[in-house]
């Protein structure tokens, strides 16, 4: 089962926090690239944060810097997205994408770069 599974979404008020989880299948490669994206109806999928398995290298979209933190729980094959100081503009369906056996390079916010996607978890932030 290579498709990741997201969870942790919900409804919060502006200024609140949520932690999203992405359980993935770990393969025996030294590197994999994973990322969180979000999408609202009528718009393209937008990269939020990327994490390179093996090196721990992270990258963030400008909209996420200083508020969101991406991390990995190696023992439980889980990628997290801690989201603090949430704003109504953060409301979206959040997806986890994975690309096994790959460095993240410079394409980590290109949705076409990823091989596997989860079904998404909904985040709704009210003002």
């Amino acid at each position: 089962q290579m498709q990741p599974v997201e969870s942790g979404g919900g409804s919060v008020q502006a200024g609140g926090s949520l932690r999203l989880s992405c359980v993935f299948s770990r393969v025996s490669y030294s590197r994999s690239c994973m990322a969180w994206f979000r999408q609202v109806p009528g718009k393209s999928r937008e990269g939020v944060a990327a994490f390179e398995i093996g090196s721990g290298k992270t990258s963030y979209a400008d909209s996420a810097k200083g508020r969101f933190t991406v991390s990995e729980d190696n023992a439980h094959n889980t990628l997290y997205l801690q989201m603090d100081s949430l704003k109504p503009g953060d409301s979206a369906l959040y997806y986890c994408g994975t690309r096994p056996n790959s460095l993240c390079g410079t394409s980590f916010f290109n949705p076409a770069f990823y091989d596997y996607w989860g079904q998404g978890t909904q985040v709704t932030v009210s003002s």
Side-chain angles (χ1 to χ4, degrees), residues 26-74:
R26 186 175 297 275
V27 293
S28 57
Y29 301 123
S30 60
R31 290 283 189 271
S32 292
C33 186
M34 300 187 64
W36 287 99
F37 284 74
R38 64 188 183 187
Q39 190 169 22
V40 297
K43 293 191 175 181
S44 57
R45 199 164 291 194
E46 172 192 26
V48 176
F51 187 96
E52 189 171 272
I53 301 293
S55 70
K57 180 180 177 181
T58 59
S59 299
Y60 294 94
D62 287 344
S63 60
K65 288 178 182 176
R67 299 188 301 127
F68 294 2
T69 304
V70 61
S71 62
E72 177 205 15
D73 179 344
N74 186 292

Side-chain angles (χ1 to χ4, degrees), residues 13-18 66-68 83-88 90 125:
Q13 291 193 324
S17 298
L18 283 173
R67 299 188 301 127
F68 294 2
M83 304 188 295
D84 299 318
S85 302
L86 283 162
K87 306 174 182 178
D90 295 318
V125 184

Side-chain angles (χ1 to χ4, degrees), residues 74-97:
N74 186 292
H76 295 94
N77 296 344
T78 303
L79 187 75
Y80 296 107
L81 184 67
Q82 177 67 41
M83 304 188 295
D84 299 318
S85 302
L86 283 162
K87 306 174 182 178
D90 295 318
S91 297
L93 189 61
Y94 282 71
Y95 295 93
C96 176

